[in-house]
Amino acid sequence: QKEVEQDPGPLSVPEGAIVSLNCTYSNSAFQYFMWYRQYSRKGPELLMYTYSSGNKEDGRFTAQVDKSSKYISLFIRDSQPSDSATYLCAMSMNRDDKIIFGKGTRLHILP
Amino acid sequence: KAGVTQTPRYLIKTRGQQVTLSCSPISGHRSVSWYQQTPGQGLQFLFEYFSETQRNKGNFPGRFSGRQFSNSRSEMNVSTLELGDSALYLCASSSRTSYNEQFFGPGTRLTVL
């Protein structure tokens, strides 16, 4: 079983829809959870950073962590064509520990 | 504030050669991490340097090595290149107080022929 599982997609949704991206993980020791966005031919860009369980909102983005189910989600409201990118979940056990990434989900927002 | 820079952006090498990639972190960031990204394996952690010392290491063979200089700039070296080393190599920098909040460079695309 891989440490972090993420559906590669592609996921295609119409503009304006709510997008839900998810990751599952096997290591219950993970405490720090991140979401990165990566455009083609660019490096990943940090979108959301959360510690432990709960929700965090930033503009149109909401990150959700359910440690009891070992499941994290990223919701994008009012999706725009500019949101089309690959989204990678990432997590680590401690603040100074190495970060484990999911393989990413390719998202296409259709105008 | 300038972002993370990586040089060169593109590189073509042949099997058996060696290669050195360079990364300049964001000013004030002392931690530099290196990753290999391929379509099959995704983003995989190579190693991390903090204050010129390797602090974390991934599961890559000894052909992959790195170092960090006193100005926090970092280099990564791959010796005896193999076809499977073709990948996008990314470096990321972070501050000491927030290691997990990493800022990535644009990457170096390495092709091994």
Side-chain angles (χ1 to χ4, degrees):
Chain A
Q1 183 184 14
K2 293 193 179 192
E3 277 197 290
V4 180
E5 301 266 14
Q6 187 175 9
D7 187 328
L11 177 64
S12 297
V13 299
E15 183 177 354
I18 295 175
V19 175
S20 172
L21 303 166
N22 311 293
C23 283
T24 58
Y25 61 94
S26 58
N27 189 345
S28 58
F30 286 138
Q31 298 188 86
Y32 294 86
F33 304 92
M34 289 74 73
W35 285 95
Y36 284 83
R37 176 177 62 195
Q38 186 174 21
Y39 291 114
S40 181
R41 302 184 189 282
K42 302 276 190 182
E45 167 195 13
L46 180 64
L47 274 179
M48 300 290 281
Y49 173 72
T50 56
Y51 169 71
S52 195
S53 284
N55 293 357
K56 182 176 182 179
E57 188 174 318
D58 185 1
R60 296 185 296 112
F61 299 90
T62 299
Q64 201 170 72
V65 175
D66 182 350
K67 290 189 71 180
S68 62
S69 301
K70 299 194 188 73
Y71 189 88
I72 68 170
S73 301
L74 177 71
F75 298 96
I76 307 174
R77 290 184 299 281
D78 188 25
S79 56
Q80 305 293 312
S82 59
D83 294 327
S84 298
T86 296
Y87 289 80
L88 303 113
C89 64
M91 46 200 80
S92 68
M93 290 187 283
N94 303 303
R95 287 182 66 178
D96 291 337
D97 201 11
K98 64 182 181 182
I99 298 172
I100 308 299
F101 284 81
K103 289 190 178 181
T105 299
R106 281 169 45 212
L107 173 66
H108 297 296
I109 306 299
L110 307 170
Chain B
K1 204 181 223 186
V4 177
T5 58
Q6 290 187 248
T7 56
R9 291 293 310 278
Y10 302 92
L11 209 47
I12 299 175
K13 292 286 188 180
T14 55
R15 277 185 304 173
Q17 287 187 309
Q18 76 164 22
V19 67
T20 299
L21 312 181
S22 181
C23 172
S24 293
I26 290 172
S27 177
H29 284 186
R30 293 166 63 189
S31 171
V32 174
S33 298
W34 287 90
Y35 295 87
Q36 181 195 67
Q37 187 174 36
T38 60
Q41 298 300 317
L43 201 60
Q44 293 187 285
F45 175 76
L46 280 155
F47 31 67
E48 183 235 347
Y49 286 86
F50 179 81
S51 292
E52 302 179 65
T53 300
Q54 188 179 87
R55 187 163 66 171
N56 284 309
K57 189 176 188 305
N59 298 322
F60 278 80
R63 300 186 296 108
F64 293 82
S65 63
R67 59 178 176 167
Q68 187 179 33
F69 302 95
S70 58
N71 62 358
S72 294
R73 190 177 71 84
S74 177
E75 286 182 348
M76 191 193 95
N77 185 274
V78 188
S79 62
T80 320
L81 284 166
E82 300 177 0
L83 295 178
D85 296 333
S86 294
L88 180 67
Y89 290 88
L90 293 155
C91 88
S93 76
S94 57
S95 68
R96 183 183 184 281
T97 55
S98 195
Y99 167 71
N100 285 335
E101 295 184 80
Q102 298 197 339
F103 296 84
F104 282 82
T108 294
R109 172 74 61 185
L110 172 65
T111 302
V112 182
L113 302 175

